[in-house]
Amino acid sequence: MRIRLTIVACVATLLASLALYPLFKTATWFGSGLGAVLTVGLAGVLTRRLRLPILACLAIGPVALLIYLTAMFASGPALLGVIPTPASISYLAALLQDGWQEVFQYAPPVPVLPGIELMSTGGIGLIAFLVDLLAVRLRRAAPAGLPLLAMYALPARFRQESTGWLVFLPGAAGYLALLVTDARDRLSGWGRPVFTRHWSGEKFAHDRPDSSPLAVTGRRIGLTAVAIAIVVPLAVPDIHPRWLPGSGGPGEGGLTTVTTPDPLVSLKRQLVRQDDAVVLTYRTTDALTPEYLRMYSLDRFDGDGWTYSPMHGDKDARVDGKTLPAAPGLGDSSIRTVSTRIAVDSHVRGMNVLPTPYPPTKVGIKGDWRVDAPSLMIFSLRDSAGGRTYTVSSVRPTPTYQQLESTAPIPSDVASRYLAVPHGIPSDVVTLANRLTASASTPYDRAVKLQQWFVRPGNFTYSLDAPSPRNVGALRDFLFTSRTGYCEQFAASMALLARIIGIPARVGMGYTAGTRQSDGSWIVRTKDTHAWPELYFSGIGWLRFEPTPSGGGGQGSATVPDYTAPQLLPGAPTGGTTNRLPSTGSTPDGRSTAGPGTGLRHRPDPLDRNGAAGAFPPPDRGGPPIGRLLLLLAVVLLLAVPATLHRLSRIRRWAGSASHADVAHAAWDELRIAAVDFGLPWWPGDSPRATARRLMEARPLGEPATDALARLVKAEELARYAPAPGPATGLRDDARAVRAAIAAGAGRRRRWRVRLLPPSAIVLLRHGIGRVLDAFDRLDSLTLRRRHSPS
């Protein structure tokens, strides 16, 4: 039945499942996962006990898991609360579908809702089944690491952050234990025993090959490999370990890992980051507040969300300092040429799309970077922008009021791509778009009215607690019911309403202008991650709008373009951006005075009850290095383990001494421990007198200690050999006196070493591990005896 290997396989699965903890707000998922692992393990033992073929094992394991899931989540419609029925299976399927939708409505850590708990429990159970099948049934322990590795991939997929090393170690230890246990079982099974009446199965159980030296070697190799994997990244300059938390401020040496915004999943994850890490810094020749740094252009809305069309770029599309294709629709309106030099922080990972002001005309950067002509997105399939510095030349339209009010026809290629609306848009959403813009006579006027409706004080509430919009129903709820969301809801809703009323629209994603520094440079942090709508006007091209509230009650670094201001006078030139929302102000250097306001949960809301914005707080330079402090604490606790074991064993030794013989043996053990700690000779086969003679030759003792040693020798001899032990009075004090004399003869360094890392504690730890392994050996012996016992 391979009881030991089954137990280790279950333990390895549970240890690897600890990697899932960053995904959940509470730990209730672990209990149900534990039950799933135990259920699968018991099912595997049963199939091996009954010697069923492997095809039966492939069916029994999942069926046992289904019964467990039914009892946990669908006991109501199930037969007797545990037996699956069509109704219970349908309920589980519906609950699983709810969990799948809930996963994309929350940013980790997510609440442990029933559907999400069902997904986690079923996933852990399936991995336990695969590990049991590979490692125990098929005896392929090495490939069993692949299912375990899947649980480490999930946090990276949904959080885009690596799992901490403290979580990695238990899973790695479990996998190493699985390999070592499998190797020991294989070695123990070498050869086919022939049983006779003179050589029974019981004798064979005691005469098996000794695999403990190989097991010790395997553990040492495994632990060394894990230690090297953790320590080497610290010593290699070009490797940035992502597992070690840091303070993360610029120039502070923190090892904060920054992930770039993914248009499908990670926008909210960037906004709720606790470290508020630096993404990039830049300088620009733009005298006004700089334009946003756009990365993605989301031009497709399929009813479930906004995404971008596939990007295309052959070798001729490499930017390489060449002039980029002209921006679609950019006409004869007045433009300003702007030059921007951007330096991406070295801790940024996976940034394969460049943040640039729109529209870029030339980009100077090393590497294989290409441009997608319709969207002007600059991307690379092999390079990352992390640690790079590049220069962007761009243009900034400054249209006049007359150009904005133009009603020139929209090109057919633009209309077909950017006016598409899926079937099934609720009629009340269409009615809302038409009602809001009924009094407007031109596309520009309609666009401005849409923006004003979103930013009108009291109309909407900015909050990062809102779930991500993943379908039309979620956007409809945002528009009519909750009226609460963050930039993704505002941008997606305005772009959809604009398309409904005939204005080509798309969603831009990237970063706001950030925060201006005293030296004239600008810093962009993760809190500046943003989404906004871009609307197309003939003769001008794509223009950015800003429906998301800014300031302390919204996206703190968001800015409203001047060309959308309601006080725009006919004939006045436009261009640039301003912070002229009712809840914001501006300073001469272009900074918002309304606070960071991105809704980060660790920041206090600077708004008072009347909605007035508070003062701009200083930039967040990161908190204390909590990760390093925890690492230091773990090291201190680890160093304290030997001394703690030493003291606990002494307490236990004297507490268990009830008779005179026990006290004598405890005092003799105390002497043995002192000899081991201070490196004195101690031979287990020597008599007490021979042992005392060796100690005296190795370390001369004073007269009081010599007399105390003589009393210890006499008491131990009487306890060993005499019919009745002698009196045990004062033996504890004698043992303490001899130890003090031995310590006095050692150097100061040796005494400190014994206090902190007593060698005897290492022996105790080794004996403890040996007892655990002996327990597994007893299980194997019992199994072997039962297998070969006469029926």
Side-chain angles (χ1 to χ4, degrees):
M1 292 189 294
R2 300 169 187 154
I3 298 294
R4 177 172 62 183
L5 194 57
T6 302
I7 293 176
V8 175
C10 292
V11 172
T13 304
L14 290 175
L15 292 177
S17 70
L18 295 177
L20 302 178
Y21 91 96
L23 299 178
F24 304 98
K25 286 186 176 180
T26 61
T28 55
W29 59 274
F30 185 79
S32 56
L34 172 62
V37 172
L38 295 179
T39 300
V40 172
L42 291 175
V45 171
L46 178 63
T47 58
R48 290 184 286 274
R49 174 66 176 172
L50 300 177
R51 300 179 181 272
L52 298 178
I54 189 172
L55 292 179
C57 299
L58 293 176
I60 291 178
V63 168
L65 180 60
L66 177 61
I67 293 175
Y68 173 76
L69 295 177
T70 301
M72 285 290 297
F73 301 97
S75 59
L79 182 62
L80 302 178
V82 294
I83 301 177
T85 61
S88 67
I89 294 177
S90 299
Y91 181 83
L92 287 176
L95 194 61
L96 187 64
Q97 184 177 4
D98 292 341
W100 181 257
Q101 295 177 354
E102 290 163 352
V103 165
F104 294 99
Q105 292 179 355
Y106 297 92
V110 301
V112 186
L113 302 175
I116 295 177
E117 186 177 5
L118 172 62
M119 293 179 62
S120 66
T121 305
I124 294 174
L126 287 177
I127 290 176
F129 167 71
L130 293 176
V131 172
D132 183 83
L133 178 67
L134 292 172
V136 186
R137 178 67 189 218
L138 300 180
R139 301 308 301 271
R140 298 292 186 269
L146 295 177
L148 298 177
L149 187 63
M151 285 192 278
Y152 288 94
L154 286 176
R157 167 65 179 86
F158 288 96
R159 296 179 73 240
Q160 295 192 350
E161 296 178 4
S162 59
T163 302
W165 68 277
L166 290 176
V167 179
F168 167 76
L169 282 182
Y175 180 55
L176 291 175
L178 187 63
L179 295 178
V180 170
T181 305
D182 178 69
R184 292 188 65 186
D185 284 353
R186 288 177 181 274
L187 181 62
S188 300
W190 282 356
R192 183 183 297 275
V194 179
F195 297 103
T196 68
R197 60 182 178 180
H198 300 292
W199 189 19
S200 65
E202 181 178 356
K203 181 177 180 181
F204 173 75
H206 292 286
D207 294 340
R208 290 178 301 167
D210 184 12
S211 62
S212 57
L214 289 179
V216 172
T217 302
R219 287 193 293 270
R220 289 176 179 174
I221 293 175
L223 292 177
T224 302
V226 173
I228 290 175
I230 293 175
V231 174
V232 164
L234 293 176
V236 181
D238 291 335
I239 298 179
H240 302 283
R242 302 178 63 180
W243 46 263
L244 185 61
S247 57
E252 298 176 3
L255 295 177
T256 302
T257 299
V258 181
T259 52
T260 58
D262 181 346
L264 300 178
V265 178
S266 70
L267 172 65
K268 183 174 182 179
R269 297 171 190 165
Q270 294 295 311
L271 291 174
V272 300
R273 286 179 63 110
Q274 297 298 311
D275 52 9
D276 191 15
V278 172
V279 178
L280 57 89
T281 59
Y282 68 93
R283 291 181 178 273
T284 179
T285 60
D286 200 339
L288 302 175
T289 302
E291 260 299 346
Y292 291 177
L293 301 176
R294 194 200 66 166
M295 296 177 66
Y296 299 97
S297 176
L298 311 183
D299 60 326
R300 298 171 57 187
F301 182 73
D302 56 6
D304 291 330
W306 288 87
T307 185
Y308 56 88
S309 300
M311 294 181 289
H312 301 282
D314 55 19
K315 61 180 181 178
D316 296 329
R318 292 174 178 169
V319 293
D320 196 22
K322 298 184 297 186
T323 301
L324 303 182
L330 188 62
D332 298 330
S333 60
S334 301
I335 58 174
R336 283 198 323 274
T337 302
V338 177
S339 179
T340 307
R341 185 167 181 81
I342 302 173
V344 182
D345 194 270
S346 60
H347 299 137
V348 172
R349 297 288 182 268
M351 181 182 281
N352 55 5
V353 178
L354 290 184
T356 62
Y358 183 85
T361 57
K362 184 179 292 186
V363 177
I365 185 173
K366 296 180 180 180
D368 185 12
W369 294 88
R370 309 186 182 194
V371 60
D372 178 62
S375 63
L376 291 181
M377 293 169 57
I378 301 171
F379 66 95
S380 177
L381 299 178
R382 62 180 65 177
D383 295 324
S384 174
R388 295 179 182 266
T389 300
Y390 56 97
T391 303
V392 181
S393 297
S394 59
V395 295
R396 191 163 183 176
T398 56
T400 63
Y401 180 78
Q402 288 80 4
Q403 292 170 331
L404 290 170
E405 287 288 329
S406 173
T407 57
I410 301 171
S412 58
D413 57 333
V414 174
S416 61
R417 182 171 182 175
Y418 297 102
L419 284 177
V421 176
H423 297 290
I425 298 296
S427 58
D428 51 358
V429 175
V430 178
T431 302
L432 174 66
N434 293 323
R435 177 175 60 82
L436 294 176
T437 59
S439 60
S441 57
T442 64
Y444 165 74
D445 292 335
R446 291 195 288 270
V448 171
K449 287 187 176 297
L450 287 179
Q451 177 178 282
Q452 290 176 345
W453 181 69
F454 281 104
V455 300
R456 185 178 303 145
N459 211 14
F460 284 87
T461 301
Y462 183 93
S463 173
L464 290 175
D465 293 330
S468 301
R470 294 301 170 194
N471 49 52
V472 176
L475 290 179
R476 183 183 179 280
D477 178 76
F478 168 71
L479 292 172
F480 294 100
T481 306
S482 69
R483 295 288 185 95
T484 300
Y486 54 99
C487 57
E488 186 175 355
Q489 283 93 339
F490 287 95
S493 299
M494 181 171 175
L496 176 60
L497 295 179
R499 287 193 177 188
I500 291 174
I501 60 176
I503 303 176
R506 65 189 184 189
V507 174
M509 293 187 67
Y511 300 97
T512 63
T515 305
R516 185 172 181 176
Q517 306 301 297
S518 58
D519 62 354
S521 64
W522 293 76
I523 289 183
V524 174
R525 296 177 174 270
T526 52
K527 70 179 179 64
D528 299 315
T529 309
H530 195 44
W532 61 90
E534 295 177 343
L535 276 57
Y536 182 90
F537 299 94
S538 298
I540 300 174
W542 292 99
L543 294 178
R544 173 180 68 87
F545 282 72
E546 189 52 271
T548 304
S550 63
Q555 180 84 2
S557 54
T559 55
V560 178
D562 280 344
Y563 49 77
T564 66
Q567 65 271 25
L568 185 67
L569 298 176
T574 65
T577 56
T578 184
N579 291 331
R580 296 182 196 169
L581 283 179
S583 61
T584 63
S586 61
T587 62
D589 62 2
R591 291 180 300 169
S592 169
T593 61
T598 56
L600 289 173
R601 295 171 183 170
H602 70 289
R603 293 177 178 269
D605 188 357
L607 287 182
D608 59 17
R609 295 184 178 180
N610 298 323
F616 192 94
D620 186 2
R621 297 295 181 181
I626 300 299
R628 295 174 187 250
L629 294 177
L630 291 177
L631 178 61
L632 179 61
L633 179 61
V635 172
V636 172
L637 293 177
L638 185 61
L639 293 177
V641 168
T644 304
L645 289 177
H646 186 275
R647 183 171 295 275
L648 291 177
S649 64
R650 177 180 295 178
I651 295 174
R652 181 183 177 185
R653 185 182 306 117
W654 290 107
S657 302
S659 64
H660 295 305
D662 292 337
V663 174
H665 292 322
W668 193 252
D669 284 341
E670 192 78 13
L671 181 62
R672 177 182 59 83
I673 293 298
V676 172
D677 285 342
F678 290 96
L680 300 183
W682 186 280
W683 301 97
D686 284 349
S687 65
R689 295 189 184 186
T691 300
R693 185 169 55 252
R694 290 183 186 274
L695 293 179
M696 293 293 293
E697 292 174 354
R699 182 71 51 82
L701 305 176
E703 182 177 354
T706 302
D707 295 340
L709 178 59
R711 290 191 291 271
L712 292 177
V713 169
K714 183 178 180 180
E716 180 65 14
E717 287 179 340
L718 292 175
R720 288 189 187 183
Y721 311 124
T729 306
L731 292 182
R732 185 168 186 175
D733 294 334
D734 291 338
R736 187 180 295 113
V738 174
R739 182 181 179 89
I742 293 176
R748 179 179 298 178
R749 180 179 300 178
R750 181 78 183 193
R751 289 197 296 270
W752 275 107
R753 179 186 174 186
V754 171
R755 289 192 185 101
L756 297 177
L757 298 172
S760 58
I762 306 300
V763 176
L764 290 173
L765 185 61
R766 186 181 303 169
H767 288 170
I769 296 176
R771 290 177 182 176
V772 174
L773 296 178
D774 289 342
F776 284 125
D777 290 337
R778 292 191 186 97
L779 288 175
D780 284 345
S781 300
L782 291 175
T783 302
L784 192 59
R785 290 179 184 178
R786 190 179 298 112
R787 183 180 301 171
H788 296 288
S789 62
S791 56

